[in-house]
Every structure is written in C-alpha cells, then in structure tokens.
Amino acid sequence: MNRVGLLFGSFNPIHNGHLAIASYVLTHENLQEIWFVVSPHNPLKESSQLAPEHHRLRMVEIALENSEMPFWACRVEFEMPRPSFTIETLQLLSLKYPANQFYPIIGADSLASIEKWKDYTQLLEKYCLLVYPREGYNLYELVIKYGVHPVNAPLFNVSSTSIRSRFINGERPEQLLPKGVLDYILSFNLYNSPTQ
C-alpha cells in the first residue's frame, strides 16, 4: 500500500507553516506522499472570509511547484457537494485510489472540535489520524481521549488568519509565504479587505 498523508485545509492562504508540518510528518511518519486537500467550503468556517476557491487552489499549486518534496495539490472536494465533510472525502478517495492508505493530518485544535464533525466516530474508527500540536491545546489529553496518533512536530506559530491581518494592515509577510504566493496574492489583491 502507498501511504499517503492528507493535509486538509482552506489554505487561505497556504503558508510556510503548512509546508513545515507536511515536511515533518512525511519524514517522521513513514509516508510516501502528502496531498494538500483544498476545501472549497469548510462547514465550520464562514465562507465569506475565504478568498475564492480557485485562487486558494492555485496558491497551493504554486507553493508545491517550488517544493522538492512529494507534495501534491488535491482538488477532489471541488467535485463534491458543498460544504465538504472529511469522512465523505476520505470515502471517495479510498474508492478512487484503492492502492493508497490514507492518513488524515490535523492539528490538535481541530481534534478538540472533532465531535462537531460529521460521522466523527466512523472517522476515528476507520482512519489513523496523525495529529500535530497546536499552542493552547493539550495534545496528549486529546490523544488519550480519541485514540489518535500524535506527531511530535515542533510548534509552528503562524496562521492564515494572522497573515491576512498583516495584509489588511498594509504589510507584505513574504518570509511567511512559499515562493511565488506573495506575488499571486498581490496580483489579485486578495487580502486587502477586512472581510476576507
């Protein structure tokens, strides 16, 4: 079986923290590839705060084009009903790619709210979730509670929310973004409005 990690996200925008987490998980969890699953509409997030989905997908593609790692942009949720539910995405991917064994990669903050997810008990039973630490969350309490696999990655204190705030404040946080992503954001004027 080909062991594939799935890093789900809105990627609004993708940033270096996403790539650092993916790199750590790939090298420490015996995975062959990581797919960045771009979610057009996360049911737990306000869609009005998202840049248009095609822009978010394109930014992921640009970020991964410049990576030497076996990372791929995955647009499977673009072909599914909205909003996207992780369990349904996993079921579809498992049907389409039966030679792959999929490992969802999520942060401790997402695991803390997993009981809001559709069919979360089925998700925990059928898939091995790889969970990385996030500031303010006790990863090991969550691991014991939900029986998931902890990833001892370092904390990456960068978020898409903070990056959008910097753009609104007139900054250009080039050091936080993969090569090419800043130019793309500026060319389409994506994050200059407080509503995004």
Side-chain angles (χ1 to χ4, degrees):
M1 295 287 277
N2 193 34
R3 293 165 57 91
V4 177
L6 298 176
L7 186 61
F8 290 84
S10 301
F11 301 110
N12 189 39
I14 189 170
H15 54 68
N16 288 335
H18 293 128
L19 297 183
I21 289 164
S23 297
Y24 187 95
V25 175
L26 182 84
T27 55
H28 289 81
E29 298 299 331
N30 193 28
L31 301 177
Q32 276 80 51
E33 302 176 7
I34 291 183
W35 297 1
F36 287 62
V37 184
V38 183
S39 300
H41 179 199
N42 180 327
L44 300 180
K45 291 187 178 179
E46 283 288 333
S47 59
S48 63
Q49 296 179 350
L50 296 173
E53 62 199 54
H54 64 281
H55 285 313
R56 291 184 283 115
L57 175 64
R58 184 63 193 134
M59 285 188 283
V60 170
E61 291 171 343
I62 289 168
L64 303 188
E65 282 167 6
N66 293 301
S67 172
E68 297 178 355
M69 308 290 274
F71 295 160
W72 310 101
C74 177
R75 56 175 300 153
V76 64
E77 291 191 349
F78 284 60
E79 298 148 20
M80 297 172 65
R82 314 291 172 85
S84 310
F85 296 100
T86 301
I87 187 66
E88 293 175 356
T89 304
L90 283 162
Q91 289 166 343
L92 179 59
L93 287 173
S94 297
L95 281 173
K96 288 181 74 170
Y97 304 99
N100 290 345
Q101 188 169 2
F102 291 108
Y103 295 81
I105 303 164
I106 66 171
D109 53 333
S110 295
L111 182 61
S113 65
I114 201 165
E115 293 182 21
K116 296 178 182 177
W117 296 23
K118 182 177 181 180
D119 298 334
Y120 79 93
T121 53
Q122 186 181 352
L123 179 65
L124 293 169
E125 287 167 8
K126 291 194 170 183
Y127 297 92
C128 176
L129 271 66
L130 306 179
V131 185
Y132 58 88
R134 292 298 295 263
E135 190 170 9
Y137 294 87
N138 188 320
L139 175 57
Y140 289 94
E141 279 183 6
L142 292 165
V143 165
I144 291 166
K145 181 175 182 180
Y146 293 112
V148 297
H149 181 79
V151 176
N152 295 310
L155 281 170
F156 299 104
N157 289 325
V158 54
S159 70
S160 296
T161 303
S162 66
I163 288 171
R164 294 195 304 274
S165 296
R166 290 178 183 232
F167 278 106
I168 290 167
N169 292 332
E171 299 176 43
R172 293 187 175 188
E174 185 172 11
Q175 72 282 6
L176 302 178
L177 298 168
K179 183 180 176 184
V181 172
L182 175 65
D183 289 342
Y184 188 90
I185 290 169
L186 294 175
S187 65
F188 289 97
N189 200 26
L190 292 181
Y191 296 118
N192 287 348
S193 166
T195 60
Q196 289 183 327

